[in-house]
Amino acid sequence: MTSTERPGVTTFRGNPVTLLGSEVRVGEQAPDFTVLGNDMTPVRFSSLGGTTRVISVVPSLETPVCDLQTRRFEEAVAELGEASVLTVSVDLPFAQARWCGAAGVEGVRTFSDHRDLSFGLAYGVVIKEFRLLARAVFVVDAENRVVHAEYVTEVGQPPDFDAAVTAAREAENVRRAA
């Protein structure tokens, strides 16, 4: 796998790891990518445009912090208007669908980057040592511009939910006013 290597951007259980892919910054156009839906159908990010999107990135839905992160964004869906929340991990689509059913999560759409790490490499969140995605949150507005980007410095810690939700709300307000 050839890609930009960014050592020490984040840690995993206190140990520095290397992220693959370039850092995505606020103000940039959001990179396109293809992931798998729960039914194994490829989904291009560009096909989900027209509204604000929160991209919640987790290593695996089956872990406590990832579970917390996804449930917290599920709670936020109601207050985000037409904005959508996408959770991306390298879990298999079947496992994601099972987790959502067991957790009662219906407002967050889960997508798998298992097949080719298209998302992870485009957004610079692939953990080279484990072939997992590092914890991060991105908010992309209706014009496909990144308005919030957080790479969590320790994979075992949750992101700043309030900052992401605030950025999504503001982007939605701008979209509605336009």
Side-chain angles (χ1 to χ4, degrees):
M1 177 177 324
T2 353
S3 186
T4 303
E5 292 194 8
R6 299 181 302 122
V9 173
T10 190
T11 58
F12 186 89
R13 295 184 178 162
N15 298 307
V17 292
T18 301
L19 297 184
L20 299 178
S22 298
E23 179 180 358
V24 172
R25 293 183 171 92
V26 170
E28 294 179 349
Q29 281 298 113
D32 201 10
F33 57 87
T34 301
V35 287
L36 296 176
N38 289 163
D39 61 357
M40 298 290 289
T41 302
V43 177
R44 289 187 63 94
F45 182 64
S46 55
S47 73
L48 304 173
T51 188
T52 302
R53 288 139 298 158
V54 176
I55 306 172
S56 172
V57 188
V58 299
S60 174
L61 289 168
E62 299 291 343
T63 63
V65 180
C66 300
D67 178 286
L68 167 79
Q69 181 173 334
T70 306
R71 289 175 190 268
R72 174 61 185 91
F73 282 119
E74 169 78 2
E75 292 168 8
V77 166
E79 60 188 85
L80 292 178
E82 292 182 33
S84 59
V85 178
L86 322 172
T87 291
V88 181
S89 73
V90 292
D91 293 313
L92 293 173
F94 313 114
Q96 291 177 331
R98 185 209 54 76
W99 182 89
C100 287
V105 169
E106 297 175 355
V108 170
R109 294 178 66 189
T110 56
F111 294 98
S112 176
D113 202 25
H114 173 75
R115 182 177 286 165
D116 60 11
L117 300 174
S118 172
F119 168 80
L121 292 171
Y123 282 72
V125 293
V126 175
I127 301 174
K128 178 181 178 180
E129 292 83 352
F130 304 115
R131 200 182 186 279
L132 291 172
L133 302 182
R135 189 173 316 286
V137 180
F138 304 94
V139 178
V140 178
D141 70 10
E143 302 301 316
N144 219 37
R145 186 176 50 91
V146 178
V147 296
H148 174 83
E150 178 189 8
Y151 293 85
V152 180
T153 56
E154 164 54 50
V155 173
Q157 295 298 312
D160 184 342
F161 298 110
D162 293 337
V165 170
T166 297
R169 258 197 239 114
E170 289 172 359
E172 268 301 284
N173 289 341
V174 167
R175 184 188 67 77
R176 282 194 295 266

